[in-house]
Amino acid sequence: MCGIVGIVSQQPVNQAIYDALTVLQHRGQDAAGIATDANGTLCTRKSNGLVRDVFHQRHMLRLRGNMGIGHVRYPTAGWSSSSEAQPFYVNSPYGICLAHNGNLTNADELKRVLINEDRRHLNTGSDTEALLNVFADELQNQDSNHLTPEAVFAAIRKVHERCHGGYAVVALILGHGIVAFRDPHGIRPVCIGKRETDAGTDYMAASESVALDGAGFELDRDILPGEGVYIRQDGQVFSERCSEKAAYTPCIFEHVYFARPDSIIDSISVYKARLRMGTSLADKILREHPHHDIDVVIPIPDSSRTSALEVAHQLRVKYREGFVKNRYIGRTFIMPGQEMRKKSVRSKLNAIDLEFAGKAVLLVDDSIVRGTTSKQIIEMAREAGARRVYFASASPPVRYPNVYGIDMPAASELVAANRTDEEVGRFIGADWLVYQDLADLIASVSHDNADIDGFDASCFSGEYVTGDVTATYLARLERERSDLAKAQRENLRRRLEGDPDELMEGDDSRDVGPQAGAA
């Protein structure tokens, strides 16, 4: 999962892009990058690290111009290296920088065609570089002496024909403008906002509406599935649906975990969706444990707070903050390796003993993916003196790989993949465990104002909305994107680059190279 932003303004955009990326930092903590257009001259800065660490004053001063794009990244595969930090750039045609959120399910095939037939050079294993070269190749093929909206939309139409999977894209075409588009199913989010100034109207495209809010932009609308939006540097906006109509099925996990609660995605309030998740979860707890002895409901910060608050309200028991979070530790779920996730949990959370001592505690989390974090948190609750520890997940069991850009691709690493709910409960050490039902989750996220056909809930249901995910593809993901495979690639990178840091655990191979990577 990544965060993207693009701005066309009547004034310098470097600070506005920086601020937007800071707001979107929860979507990726591995690397960050900004590219701006200073009267046709490309200005870039990208590197590994958090936004605040990548950009210093000297970098910001060099990011000149009134339009640009930005990206925050976490890798689902590939190298954890600044070479795969985005945006990516090609000089022909026009000079294009591109950043993307998502994952292409036919990336390997695309790369073969790009190299062997289109004669384009690829320097990394990133899906983003492949997508950029497809867009550049198709734009090059348009019969036009100068860049027109029609040429841009024709190129996007070809991208949709050639690229499969979930993706949201912002691209900077030097000397011309910003392009934003979304996959034909609308799996990955991107919205458009505008800001009125004395000099004219500024436009921003971003992964979440909360990025618009922080920069003083007003949410205009979500980009539709398959739609392309072209914002010229003079402020003119063009849009066109560039694919055959497919089912509008955005990713439901955005509402479960990734998105900030103050965001509006596909006309759905993330905050209200999580409140409704809490209501339905409480109903199930009352059905399964009508005579419960729960003394207190405690959320596992941060994204479960909203649901946990509603669970406590419906159960008519106390809601308390029992864990204090270290704000300077990244989100555990999106750390690049299992060993790093394990080591971070106790440095990330600390229990307040008086909220646990002698009590029957219900812990509420947004989801259970690998289960190791949940297990450690339950151990912490018992060490703090809890008499009993119950656990509730605001989402259903994660039993299947996600292939559209979320880092849960290896089925063998999912705690619920081959276990019953009761077995998962025993594994994590809970006295009992309650999962949200999938139908209730979908009902919680659905909203009358959202003109959607359903959701991609493949990690819960095993049903992939693009229809091209085969058992062979999933088996390859298992080999390439497990934590072991990531550790092996990262250790190889460190050896090749002479990195003196300690090697990651779990490296039993000396013959592993970079694989296809998602944005």
Side-chain angles (χ1 to χ4, degrees), residues 9 25 75 164 193 363 474:
S9 179
Q25 186 76 84
H164 305 155
L363 300 180
L474 293 176

XYZ file of all heavy atoms in Angstrom, residues 9 25 75 164 193 363 474:
52
model
N -0.935 24.054 -9.513
C -1.239 25.251 -8.733
C -0.786 26.505 -9.463
O -0.096 26.434 -10.486
C -0.561 25.158 -7.361
O -0.804 26.311 -6.580
N 1.420 9.550 5.434
C 2.541 8.719 5.873
C 2.104 7.343 6.353
O 2.851 6.360 6.239
C 3.304 9.433 6.991
C 4.572 8.741 7.444
C 5.724 8.907 6.473
O 6.439 9.894 6.504
N 5.905 7.937 5.587
N 6.945 -1.502 0.519
C 7.080 -2.521 -0.519
C 6.354 -3.811 -0.154
O 6.430 -4.273 0.974
C 8.593 -2.764 -0.571
C 9.044 -2.504 0.840
C 8.107 -1.460 1.403
N -3.316 -5.246 -15.762
C -4.369 -5.857 -14.960
C -4.009 -5.750 -13.484
O -2.838 -5.757 -13.118
C -4.541 -7.325 -15.347
C -4.797 -7.547 -16.797
N -4.491 -8.725 -17.445
C -5.320 -6.725 -17.756
C -4.820 -8.629 -18.717
N -5.306 -7.418 -18.939
N -9.512 17.174 -5.600
C -9.983 18.334 -4.849
C -9.532 19.614 -5.510
O -8.648 19.609 -6.376
N -10.339 -7.204 24.224
C -9.479 -6.460 23.314
C -10.115 -6.452 21.936
O -10.561 -7.490 21.447
C -8.088 -7.098 23.235
C -7.291 -7.202 24.542
C -5.936 -7.850 24.265
C -7.116 -5.847 25.185
N -0.978 -17.506 -7.583
C -0.901 -17.454 -6.124
C 0.287 -18.243 -5.600
O 0.940 -17.839 -4.632
C -2.203 -17.968 -5.510
C -3.446 -17.103 -5.748
C -4.683 -17.779 -5.170
C -3.264 -15.716 -5.141
